[in-house]
Amino acid sequence: MEHSCSGILLIDVVLPLPLAETYTYRLPESMHDRVRVGSRVIVPFGNKKIYSAIVVKGPYPQSPPEDGAYNGDERNDALPSGRDWSGWNLKEVLDVLDPVPILLPDQLWLWQWIADYYLCTLGEVYKAALPSGMKLESESVVEYNSDYDTDTPFTRNEQYLLDLMERLREQRVQDLQKAFDASQMVNGKSVNGKSVNVLSLVKSLLDKGALIMHEQLKQNYRPRIVHCVRLTEAFFSQDRLNQLFDELRRAQRQSDLLLRYLDLSKAAAALTLQNRSLLVELEKSTLMEGQSEAAFKGLRERGVLEVYERELSRIEGLKNSSIEELKTDEQNNFQSSIFNLQLSPAQQVAYDSIRTAFATRDVCLLHGVTSSGKTEIYIRLIQEQIGQGRQVLYLLPEIVLTAQLVERLRRVFGNRLGVYHSKYPDAERVEVWQKQLSDQPYDIVVGVRSSVFLPFRRLGLIIVDEEHENSFKQQDPAPRYHARNVALVLARRVGAKTLLGTATPSLESYYNAQQGRYALVTLSERFGQVQLPRIEVVDLRDRRRRKEMKGPFSTDLLRAMSDALGRREQIILFQNRRGYAPQMECQTCGWNPRCTQCDVTLTLHRQSNRMTCHYCGATYPIPERCPQCEGHELVGVGYGTERIQEELAQLFPQARIARMDLDTTRSRTAYERLLYDFQHGRTDILVGTQMVTKGLDFERVSVVGILNADTMLNMPDFRSYEHAFQMLSQVAGRAGRRNRQGLVVLQTKSPDLSVVRQVVGNDYAGLYRDQLDERQAFRYPPFVRLVVVTLRHRDVRIVEQMARDMGALLRRQFGNRVLGPDTPAVSRVQLMYIRRLILKVEVTASMADARRRLRQLRDFLLQQKPYRSAQVVYDVDPV
């Protein structure tokens, strides 16, 4: 519906779509007092669609803001003037969803900063920031037209669909194909014998008027409702109840049920004090366990009991672990005892140094070796912030780390602690968001990168644990933000402090500390003065020549594993490839099965008996014979975690072996159970990908095996040695974390590389010096900022020409700061051909000016007719 907007109030909103602009809507008079900046409103968009939008400006009269930009410092009473809207027709807001704004001013400011810095749209930030349950969107619904009356003939399939719709009355478009196919199945077989494209039938029936289509708002989040029972006002009296029990002498079941209610609801005190608020809230399902429904109906008809609905929080008293019932008192006492320990002298010095640093600096880097007790220092800092009435955000790089950490923190902070990550159901994430806006928010939230978007009213400290981890960087889709860097900006905005903690700092963070931008605190000894693990480097070339290998295992590693199992100790094996084998190969002609949509070989997964593309997720059946030579000798080449697990079972048949990778940790319960079993000695050997390298703490692990370090050392990337050092040092740090020195067996074909020696000697300073000299010579971060420009198109000729044109345009603006275009190692993903360029911008140059030019170039290029269906993606500060 459109209205003239003379003498009306307007608002500017952002939609959850990849759109750079904000949009102006007319606000009905009935909503004038209900809308604030940060509120959600329901608006129509385009011809039919309906969305929940966020108000970023207004309400304001007639004239929109001159520059159209959102300024987070502006107040609602700032009434811009200027442009006259009297000649315009604006669409009207349909509804207001929130009695109070769901976004705080600082959050809106942060959204705008992310959109600007990471060269994406405000709509893309909105889509990433809010849980799905808070982003409402309409869906197309097909409805049977009961008023339809015509002699127009229908095809057989059209008539079949029309008959189906007459029964269903209405159906979502996305569900219609499934409903149509199911209605045609008889004994598991289709009547027609082939699939029918229902969308074409729907279009035909819409054109003929037999069906109509409309948009229906889809509610992703619904509060959990429970039915509760309470004593009615008429019977809230001891005398009246005594009289009632006399009346119920011949209705024994009703009498028993009433007695059960009075007992469970603790009614005695409430009746004595005549205070109904003392009645314990009782769910009907609890009351009716083993009871007669007829008895309950009788009490309701007598007016004794009444049923009412209560909205139940999904996070109220929520336990992070789904396997809570497995824990014993002994284990609980062990966990609790961790926090009764006093800080060691080294920890106390680090804690005092951090507090001193925060007096003059906003950011502190805590460089503490693995198992040095950084978590205990974090806990003391958190307690201090909470004591001052401030909130804390504790960021982790991986969901898998939250289970173990939250169990430790919950014993200290109880229900003051909240958890936020994508393995939690969306409804629970919505409720965490709502709780943060309430009068009693969580004092501490533990979460992964998306937690930086949560609302905090009194944020005092952000802890970024394992700050070096690449998982903090969002890759696809936009916004391609780095949560560590966003956390630094957020903290500066709200006046909070930031603590970056790691055993292997990123080169950029350590450089900032050396330059004095961050404070630096070092913790160089392990808790309890346990020695760092001894690292044995095994030359795979030499061992193979001597025939001292059994599959992927050297005899050195097998001997160490056998000794550890004999001592009833645990082992972690690191292999950074999931699946059974990285590829399949025909032994006759060398043919490899490849993804039809991506330029990669397929990974063999024996457990699912399929081949999978790890780029697009497509799966394929395993061929019975080679399509190239008709041979039958198709075998898996290489070792993934699944195959490692299988071979270990043959070598150590008595050992209990588990695997931790993406395939085995798709649900919250799966990874929690894996960690729980390993932590409590129910697993002897844990095989895993990089998940096992990140901050996990297991006291019984004495041996760590790195099966093939070369997959990290040989990456064609300027950061390959830095990343290899970090990952190898982190996984090595899982060994010998309590009481005795551990052993790490590092298998590699390149034992003489400097980075291998630096890992063995825990020589981060040496790595830093070598890498810094190299990066300064070749102009890489931290001496420049990088922007990777990725071009995609379905036609390889178009993307090639587009890459040349983009390269010319970039060089015209930035000169020799541009590298490429080049063809990446994986040059086609999901049928899109890919070319890349790299832009280097000096840290002394204006990044804002560079971003402005990049936007202009992208807009210009995509306006050219051959490139309108192409994609131009900017990745600022890639990792």
Side-chain angles (χ1 to χ4, degrees):
M1 183 183 298
E2 296 185 345
H3 299 269
S4 173
C5 58
S6 178
I8 61 170
L9 292 185
L10 309 178
I11 59 171
D12 292 348
V13 304
V14 58
L15 293 151
L17 299 169
L19 302 169
E21 303 86 0
T22 58
Y23 289 83
T24 303
Y25 285 84
R26 176 187 182 274
L27 193 63
E29 188 174 348
S30 62
M31 302 179 192
H32 284 187
D33 296 331
R34 298 166 55 198
V35 171
R36 300 288 184 272
V37 170
S39 298
R40 287 179 305 163
V41 293
I42 301 296
V43 297
F45 189 75
N47 293 329
K48 295 180 179 180
K49 297 294 287 184
I50 301 170
Y51 294 95
S52 59
I54 301 286
V55 179
V56 296
K57 184 75 177 181
Y60 58 84
Q62 293 191 356
S63 301
E66 282 293 323
D67 57 6
Y70 166 69
N71 183 344
D73 293 324
E74 291 182 4
R75 301 296 181 186
N76 289 342
D77 56 2
L79 305 176
S81 60
R83 186 171 176 180
D84 182 14
W85 281 86
S86 58
W88 289 71
N89 288 325
L90 294 178
K91 291 184 177 179
E92 186 176 84
V93 173
L94 302 178
D95 198 5
V96 180
L97 289 175
D98 307 302
V100 295
I102 63 160
L103 289 184
L104 305 177
D106 289 326
Q107 287 177 281
L108 282 173
W109 181 90
L110 188 67
W111 283 19
Q112 186 68 62
W113 182 88
I114 291 172
D116 179 58
Y117 186 84
Y118 290 103
L119 291 168
C120 63
T121 68
L122 196 56
E124 288 170 322
V125 181
Y126 170 17
K127 192 167 184 178
L130 259 65
S132 297
M134 301 180 79
K135 300 188 292 279
L136 307 186
E137 179 179 343
S138 64
E139 52 192 3
S140 299
V141 176
V142 178
E143 186 178 348
Y144 178 75
N145 187 1
S146 56
D147 295 330
Y148 174 73
D149 184 16
T150 184
D151 295 331
T152 304
F154 298 118
T155 66
R156 176 185 172 188
N157 285 328
E158 285 176 344
Q159 186 62 56
Y160 196 93
L161 178 60
L162 199 59
D163 294 341
L164 175 65
M165 287 305 302
E166 188 174 8
R167 296 196 305 273
L168 296 174
R169 307 309 294 178
E170 70 174 29
Q171 187 79 5
R172 297 190 311 166
V173 169
Q174 55 263 52
D175 295 336
L176 201 53
Q177 181 77 55
K178 188 185 297 184
F180 183 87
D181 292 342
S183 68
Q184 291 199 318
M185 297 294 285
V186 177
N187 296 326
K189 296 183 179 180
S190 174
V191 174
N192 285 334
K194 60 180 181 179
S195 180
V196 175
N197 184 353
V198 170
L199 289 181
S200 62
L201 299 180
V202 170
K203 184 178 185 306
S204 175
L205 292 172
L206 287 170
D207 292 340
K208 294 174 180 178
L211 297 178
I212 55 178
M213 183 182 288
H214 61 89
E215 291 294 305
Q216 187 178 81
L217 201 61
K218 180 183 178 183
Q219 290 278 358
N220 293 318
Y221 168 75
R222 289 182 176 84
R224 180 181 291 176
I225 301 297
V226 294
H227 292 89
C228 295
V229 180
R230 65 187 169 205
L231 200 62
T232 62
E233 187 70 43
F235 284 86
F236 190 70
S237 160
Q238 191 67 60
D239 292 339
R240 185 68 185 92
L241 285 174
N242 290 336
Q243 181 183 348
L244 175 62
F245 278 115
D246 288 338
E247 298 170 7
L248 294 177
R249 286 177 180 174
R250 296 185 179 181
Q252 190 62 43
R253 289 186 177 181
Q254 291 185 36
S255 179
D256 291 344
L257 183 59
L258 181 57
L259 282 170
R260 177 176 169 82
Y261 168 79
L262 295 173
D263 178 49
L264 293 176
S265 66
K266 311 296 183 186
L271 289 164
T272 301
L273 299 174
Q274 281 297 291
N275 186 351
R276 286 177 62 83
S277 66
L278 296 178
L279 288 172
V280 173
E281 200 161 39
L282 186 62
E283 292 183 27
K284 182 187 173 186
S285 58
T286 303
L287 175 66
M288 296 305 295
E289 289 176 2
Q291 301 298 309
S292 164
E293 189 66 38
F296 181 77
K297 184 179 178 182
L299 289 175
R300 286 191 69 181
E301 290 174 349
R302 289 175 181 269
V304 180
L305 297 179
E306 60 183 354
V307 177
Y308 64 98
E309 291 184 345
R310 182 173 80 88
E311 186 175 318
L312 180 67
S313 170
R314 292 173 173 86
I315 59 174
E316 187 177 322
L318 180 69
K319 298 295 184 185
N320 183 63
S321 175
S322 62
I323 49 177
E324 195 76 19
E325 69 277 3
L326 297 177
K327 296 183 177 176
T328 65
D329 290 337
E330 179 183 351
Q331 291 157 351
N332 286 338
N333 291 335
F334 169 76
Q335 291 286 339
S336 300
S337 67
I338 293 175
F339 302 107
N340 294 327
L341 299 173
Q342 295 295 315
L343 293 181
S344 70
Q347 287 175 317
Q348 188 66 49
V349 169
Y351 170 70
D352 293 338
S353 299
I354 293 169
R355 295 185 68 217
T356 302
F358 278 154
T360 56
R361 302 279 178 80
D362 291 332
V363 184
C364 179
L365 174 63
L366 174 59
H367 181 195
V369 298
T370 56
S371 195
S372 57
K374 294 186 288 294
T375 304
E376 282 72 24
I377 296 174
Y378 298 157
I379 288 170
R380 295 298 176 90
L381 292 167
I382 293 168
Q383 288 173 325
E384 184 178 276
Q385 289 292 320
I386 293 176
Q388 297 171 3
R390 309 294 297 274
Q391 292 172 291
V392 177
L393 172 59
Y394 194 137
L395 286 175
L396 293 166
E398 290 278 359
I399 293 170
V400 71
L401 294 180
T402 61
Q404 194 175 48
L405 177 68
V406 167
E407 283 305 313
R408 299 174 72 182
L409 295 181
R410 205 180 288 281
R411 306 213 173 269
V412 180
F413 301 106
N415 289 332
R416 305 175 86 165
L417 171 73
V419 184
Y420 189 84
H421 60 65
S422 59
K423 286 285 171 67
Y424 271 53
D426 187 71
E428 289 178 13
R429 282 181 280 145
V430 170
E431 293 187 5
V432 171
W433 190 289
Q434 293 171 337
K435 184 171 176 63
Q436 290 305 95
L437 291 169
S438 71
D439 294 334
Q440 293 183 317
Y442 288 120
D443 291 318
I444 171 176
V445 173
V446 175
V448 292
R449 59 175 179 252
S450 59
S451 304
V452 297
F453 293 117
L454 282 170
F456 291 91
R457 296 187 189 276
R458 39 189 176 79
L459 188 61
L461 175 66
I462 301 178
I463 297 170
V464 185
D465 200 13
E466 310 294 348
E467 66 85 25
H468 65 279
E469 277 291 346
N470 295 343
S471 304
F472 282 123
K473 172 74 171 179
Q474 164 74 12
Q475 301 295 343
D476 278 308
R480 295 169 181 82
Y481 67 99
H482 198 300
R484 178 196 62 207
N485 298 342
V486 172
L488 291 168
V489 172
L490 173 61
R492 186 166 62 244
R493 170 74 180 180
V494 301
K497 304 296 184 181
T498 306
L499 179 62
L500 309 177
T502 178
T504 53
S506 64
L507 214 70
E508 288 86 344
S509 292
Y510 200 75
Y511 179 77
N512 283 330
Q514 293 294 321
Q515 295 297 306
R517 298 188 188 98
Y518 302 164
L520 176 63
V521 174
T522 302
L523 188 56
S524 56
E525 67 178 48
R526 284 184 150 193
F527 184 81
Q529 298 184 330
V530 175
Q531 289 182 292
L532 287 167
R534 178 169 56 91
I535 302 179
E536 284 187 11
V537 179
V538 174
D539 186 342
L540 289 177
R541 295 179 191 272
D542 177 65
R543 293 297 186 273
R544 286 201 174 97
R545 189 177 65 252
R546 297 185 185 187
K547 302 188 184 309
E548 294 180 356
M549 297 290 295
K550 289 187 178 180
F553 309 106
S554 64
T555 53
D556 310 69
L557 178 57
L558 291 174
R559 183 169 52 251
M561 292 171 65
S562 180
D563 292 345
L565 291 172
R567 298 191 299 267
R568 304 182 67 83
E569 295 171 342
Q570 292 174 305
I571 300 156
I572 290 178
L573 296 182
F574 171 55
Q575 174 75 344
N576 207 23
R577 289 187 181 275
R578 65 185 175 96
Y580 187 83
Q583 66 181 51
M584 293 191 71
E585 183 176 277
C586 174
Q587 296 292 283
T588 304
C589 69
W591 173 81
N592 303 114
R594 305 181 73 85
C595 180
T596 58
Q597 301 183 89
C598 309
D599 185 24
V600 293
T601 55
L602 297 171
T603 300
L604 174 63
H605 287 254
R606 274 280 175 85
Q607 190 169 351
S608 61
N609 201 34
R610 305 281 289 178
M611 299 183 299
T612 302
C613 173
H614 286 178
Y615 279 80
C616 70
T619 62
Y620 302 81
I622 300 173
E624 294 182 1
R625 60 177 61 193
C626 173
Q628 187 164 286
C629 71
E630 299 294 319
H632 291 273
E633 296 184 44
L634 282 168
V635 297
V637 178
Y639 290 87
T641 51
E642 195 179 325
R643 188 173 183 181
I644 298 292
Q645 184 182 23
E646 180 182 278
E647 299 223 352
L648 284 171
Q650 297 174 0
L651 291 167
F652 302 102
Q654 303 304 317
R656 297 163 296 180
I657 305 164
R659 174 165 52 95
M660 178 179 283
D661 55 29
L662 185 62
D663 298 324
T664 62
T665 58
R666 294 191 183 275
S667 70
R668 182 176 69 188
T669 55
Y671 77 75
E672 285 179 355
R673 186 171 291 277
L674 277 169
L675 291 177
Y676 182 87
D677 287 347
F678 193 68
Q679 182 174 355
H680 295 97
R682 300 181 181 185
T683 303
D684 300 312
I685 305 174
L686 181 64
V687 182
T689 56
Q690 56 185 327
M691 288 182 178
V692 301
T693 71
K694 299 179 181 180
L696 297 173
D697 184 8
F698 301 113
E699 66 166 359
R700 297 179 180 88
V701 174
S702 64
V703 174
V704 167
I706 300 167
L707 298 184
N708 187 356
D710 302 299
T711 56
M712 294 167 285
L713 296 170
N714 298 329
M715 293 291 290
D717 181 79
F718 74 93
R719 284 197 174 96
S720 61
Y721 279 12
E722 178 191 4
H723 289 167
F725 179 92
Q726 290 166 343
M727 193 170 292
L728 295 174
S729 297
Q730 288 286 340
V731 71
R734 302 313 107 204
R737 297 175 68 90
R738 299 282 191 278
N739 303 324
R740 57 173 295 172
Q741 185 181 29
L743 171 66
V744 178
V745 180
L746 192 160
Q747 300 184 163
T748 176
K749 297 174 186 174
S750 309
D752 297 326
L753 286 177
S754 60
V755 67
V756 174
R757 294 196 299 271
Q758 287 157 353
V759 169
V760 172
N762 192 38
D763 184 14
Y764 178 83
L767 173 90
Y768 174 75
R769 288 192 302 270
D770 289 353
Q771 292 301 301
L772 202 67
D773 290 343
E774 188 174 296
R775 294 191 191 183
Q776 188 167 25
F778 292 99
R779 297 176 62 242
Y780 279 102
F783 301 102
V784 297
R785 294 189 180 95
L786 296 185
V787 180
V788 172
V789 183
T790 302
L791 311 172
R792 299 187 184 122
H793 198 277
R794 288 180 177 270
D795 190 322
V796 66
R797 293 169 299 175
I798 291 178
V799 80
E800 286 277 12
Q801 184 59 49
M802 187 182 185
R804 288 192 290 269
D805 290 349
M806 187 61 161
L809 290 169
L810 285 169
R811 285 187 173 87
R812 205 171 296 162
Q813 292 284 335
F814 299 102
N816 63 359
R817 299 177 180 87
V818 181
L819 301 179
D822 62 18
T823 303
V826 179
S827 60
R828 187 177 63 132
V829 175
Q830 292 183 309
L831 301 177
M832 301 287 279
Y833 291 92
I834 303 170
R835 296 296 180 268
R836 287 206 175 108
L837 301 100
I838 297 177
L839 172 64
K840 298 179 178 180
V841 182
E842 294 85 353
V843 292
T844 55
S846 170
M847 195 63 188
D849 181 61
R851 292 194 297 268
R852 178 182 58 79
R853 297 187 192 190
L854 286 169
R855 283 196 188 89
Q856 291 173 346
L857 290 180
R858 178 170 57 187
D859 293 344
F860 172 78
L861 199 67
L862 293 178
Q863 287 170 4
Q864 309 309 306
K865 188 174 180 180
Y867 307 143
R868 286 177 184 169
S869 59
Q871 297 175 6
V872 179
V873 173
Y874 292 138
D875 187 3
V876 181
D877 298 337
V879 295

